[in-house]
Amino acid sequence: MSMTIAVGVTGASGAVYARRLIGALIQAGADIHLIVSPLGRAVAASELGDSELLTPAVAGSARLTTHRHDDLFSALASGSNRTDAMVICPCTCHTLADVAAGRGDNLITRAAHVHLKERRGLILCLREMPLAHIDLLNMIRVSEAGGIICPLCPPFYGAPKTIGDLANEVVGRVLDLLGIPNDLVARWTRPDVGSDVTAGG
Ligand SMILES: Cc1cc2nc3c(=O)[nH]c(=O)nc-3n(C[C@H](O)[C@H](O)[C@H](O)COP(=O)(O)O)c2cc1C
């Protein structure tokens, strides 16, 4: 059975991750319910240049349903509507704070609250640097409530060469968290560095 995933896109830097994530989920056969915040739309437009947040293939896919950010009458606002999980990518500190506080005055934060209260998966791909103490406290609060904080921190051990490679490393890990098989991630294997690697100063 295919998965149904709610995806929120908020106004943090990193629209390239959202574009890849939505494309990878559709490619994996998931049904997507997409909500983009006003700042999410504006930041994506400024970062993606000529590219759209949704590729033409994704925009035309029957698997994609879009929802208005202010539509609190949407099915996503109710726990009676079945989804498997929600990912917010990228996630701002503003949306993190609202989720941590249990606020639900837009569809992204309301749907996030629904996923926490219904004990479904909630993954927040936070993007900020450095982090304020209050962000750290908010992350702990969401984590304690069952959410997963998955910061947008791609690893470099896969020797990424392009921005797309970096985005794949993060998107693949999000798919891992959702239980969706993928080959986007460079899987760590022990490198051949000799036996005295821990002996140095
Ligand atoms: C170009 C631009 C980049 C931004 N990048 C970030 C960011 O990386 N992380 C973040 O927490 N906020 C960032 N912000 C600030 C948020 O967009 C702002 O707090 C906004 O109120 C978030 O609303 P939303 O969470 O509903 O999308 C950025 C704003 C702009 C205009």
Side-chain angles (χ1 to χ4, degrees):
M1 204 178 70
S2 75
M3 296 182 87
T4 300
I5 310 290
V7 176
V9 175
T10 63
S13 186
V16 63
Y17 294 110
R19 187 176 149 89
R20 286 264 159 162
L21 175 66
I22 296 163
L25 287 170
I26 295 274
Q27 205 171 4
D31 291 312
I32 307 296
H33 288 269
L34 176 67
I35 319 152
V36 184
S37 76
L39 259 293
R41 203 167 292 287
V43 174
S46 76
E47 290 189 347
L48 295 177
D50 290 339
S51 306
E52 299 285 334
L53 182 60
L54 305 178
T55 63
V58 166
S61 170
R63 294 196 176 280
L64 178 76
T65 306
T66 56
H67 301 257
R68 273 184 28 207
H69 185 249
D70 63 356
D71 182 11
L72 288 166
F73 276 81
S74 161
L76 288 181
S78 169
S80 62
N81 180 57
R82 296 301 306 173
T83 50
D84 294 294
M86 177 171 189
V87 184
I88 305 181
C89 177
C91 181
T92 61
C93 295
H94 168 254
T95 290
L96 166 72
D98 275 358
V99 174
R103 287 168 56 87
D105 58 2
N106 67 60
L107 189 56
I108 292 180
T109 52
R110 171 61 191 167
H113 190 71
V114 165
H115 283 76
L116 289 180
K117 83 182 177 71
E118 300 292 333
R119 303 291 194 268
R120 299 182 205 150
L122 175 67
I123 300 169
L124 303 189
C125 299
L126 192 75
R127 215 301 320 171
E128 191 49 281
M129 187 187 80
L131 291 159
H133 187 78
I134 201 156
D135 302 324
L136 299 171
L137 294 174
N138 285 335
M139 282 193 269
I140 287 173
R141 220 169 145 76
V142 170
S143 178
E144 285 178 347
I148 296 177
I149 305 297
C150 181
L152 293 171
C153 298
F156 286 81
Y157 48 71
K161 294 184 178 49
T162 66
I163 290 175
D165 291 343
L166 286 171
N168 280 345
E169 290 288 347
V170 167
V171 168
R173 295 304 300 276
V174 172
L175 265 56
D176 285 352
L177 290 169
L178 294 169
I180 297 176
N182 71 88
D183 58 6
L184 297 175
V185 173
R187 307 287 171 191
W188 170 257
T189 54
R190 180 186 294 277
D192 183 15
V193 291
S195 58
D196 61 347
V197 67
T198 57

